[in-house]
Amino acid sequence: MEKSSNTFFSYPPNLHELDLATLVSMYRDRGIPKKAKPGEYFACKVTDKLIKEGKWWFGAYFSQQAWDETLTAGCEGYPLTEVELNILGLVYSAADEAPSRDYVEQNSGAINKLAYMIVNDLKEFGFLSIDDQDRLLITPRGEKALQGVAKQIYGKKFKPDMLRVNQGKVANPQMERAPKEDSEQANLF
């Protein structure tokens, strides 16, 4: 499915390189206004103009106007990305039975730790609910947010073929480990 816009939030593709503490910190700090140091400026990701203060998103900065334009309809101030589209869409388009939390997190298109935090936030924000069997259910607010992010990215109402899992693009990057070197100490004598 072709994207009709490039004005939407997205997570950096190499988040899997971050340790958990850094990932959590960056996730929690998104949307927080930050001021540039005296004599320095930020560049707005959308307009490429220099700004003294901007809302922060994983190392990128947005002017308030650009931030507001990037938010999707029905999101109620919560920045939505393709990952949230996948999570909400998987729950919305479930045929017979609500999908398990594990299934949705694994097919979200994000690393597992990030997907876990996103599902928690979507639940706290009232877009999802979780039943006593750890299955996810979408709320009316969640449906409205899903339609808004689908419209923002694809220019039309949500269809299941918008989901990354239905496009064959789901990949959950894993933390890469450096190869173990020979730890034998060289003989000095």
Side-chain angles (χ1 to χ4, degrees):
M1 170 135 303
E2 287 284 323
K3 295 177 184 163
S4 67
S5 169
N6 60 358
T7 307
F8 57 89
F9 293 103
S10 62
Y11 297 106
N14 60 340
L15 282 178
H16 61 281
E17 296 175 9
L18 299 176
D19 62 278
L20 181 58
T22 305
L23 177 64
V24 170
S25 175
M26 290 179 86
Y27 183 75
R28 295 292 173 224
D29 285 351
R30 72 200 192 290
I32 292 183
K34 296 190 177 188
K35 289 186 179 194
K37 295 177 184 174
E40 293 183 9
Y41 290 87
F42 301 136
C44 177
K45 185 176 180 179
V46 175
T47 64
D48 292 327
K49 291 182 179 179
L50 295 175
I51 54 176
K52 288 294 279 174
E53 184 176 337
K55 288 203 170 183
W56 190 80
W57 176 269
F58 294 92
Y61 295 90
F62 292 79
S63 67
Q64 184 63 53
Q65 181 180 354
W67 181 270
D68 292 343
E69 290 171 4
T70 308
L71 287 173
T72 58
C75 74
E76 301 178 24
Y78 185 93
L80 299 173
T81 70
E82 283 185 283
V83 174
E84 286 84 0
L85 173 92
N86 286 322
I87 291 170
L88 294 169
L90 282 167
V91 176
Y92 179 77
S93 62
D96 298 330
E97 188 175 311
S100 72
R101 179 182 181 137
D102 287 340
Y103 173 78
V104 171
E105 288 175 3
Q106 290 170 1
N107 290 288
S108 68
I111 58 176
N112 292 338
K113 295 168 188 165
L114 179 62
Y116 181 83
M117 289 187 293
I118 292 170
V119 168
N120 281 345
D121 276 4
L122 291 173
K123 180 184 164 282
E124 291 301 315
F125 219 75
F127 294 152
L128 292 176
S129 63
I130 300 176
D131 69 10
D132 51 343
Q133 295 173 334
D134 217 23
R135 291 180 302 198
L136 298 174
L137 306 162
I138 194 163
T139 65
R141 291 174 68 190
E143 287 183 38
K144 189 175 177 184
L146 173 63
Q147 296 302 337
V149 71
K151 186 101 169 144
Q152 180 89 4
I153 297 172
Y154 293 104
K156 50 182 95 171
K157 289 183 107 174
F158 174 77
K159 294 184 207 172
D161 61 340
M162 293 176 181
L163 298 173
R164 293 178 70 87
V165 70
N166 292 342
Q167 297 174 16
K169 295 181 185 176
V170 170
N172 292 335
Q174 299 298 319
M175 191 82 156
E176 295 177 18
R177 302 270 185 229
K180 213 173 195 179
E181 292 183 23
D182 189 8
S183 60
E184 208 173 290
Q185 186 173 1
N187 191 352
L188 298 175
F189 302 101

